Amino acid sequence: MSIAVQCIECPSFYSIPSSTGFSDDNKNLMKNLEKQILEMCEPLTLKLHLVKAKKSLREVYKACSEANWDGYNALPITENTFEEAWKIIELLPTSIPMPEILAEPGGEIGFEWHKGQKLIFVISVEGKYRINYAGIFGSNKIHGSEYFGEMLPSVVIENLRRLFYR
């Protein structure tokens, strides 16, 4: 038994031999190995925007994780909020430009996308499994709040598409 892995950037198939074992540990090991090979083969340009966004998030968290970080009694960004924001970065479609990442005085982390004066979409998290969102699309305005678990809410994806693919 072997695993065949191919990606766009790799010139040929990589075949990973496996043992004859059929244990759960062996299956998990082979899945992890395949995943690591695929990650190494991903185009660097797709990863670069993720690296920059994660670096920006770390900087925001470091600068704003203590109370009164703005001199006006702002609440600190919690570790839970940081982790939710990290997850959002990892779940964003690669076809969408990375947002500006900023701290909000209520302890939230915000993500802002601008495509002109009247084309703006913003989401924020506060470590409570909710995404708050607002957008301006010309003369149309939207806002709301959605549960955030393992996937980005469809309303967030739809509005990002609306912003960048109108």
Side-chain angles (χ1 to χ4, degrees), residues 104-158:
E104 297 177 356
E108 302 92 355
I109 292 178
F111 297 83
E112 292 187 12
W113 289 269
H114 299 267
K115 194 180 171 193
Q117 187 175 0
K118 295 220 174 208
L119 292 169
I120 302 166
F121 188 66
V122 180
I123 63 175
S124 66
V125 292
E126 57 184 315
K128 297 180 180 176
Y129 305 105
R130 295 207 65 75
I131 288 182
N132 298 308
Y133 64 91
I136 300 172
F137 302 94
S139 61
N140 298 318
K141 296 178 183 179
I142 54 111
H143 64 89
S145 184
E146 294 282 331
Y147 171 77
F148 174 52
E150 296 302 312
M151 298 179 357
L152 287 174
S154 60
V155 69
V156 170
I157 299 297
E158 290 165 13

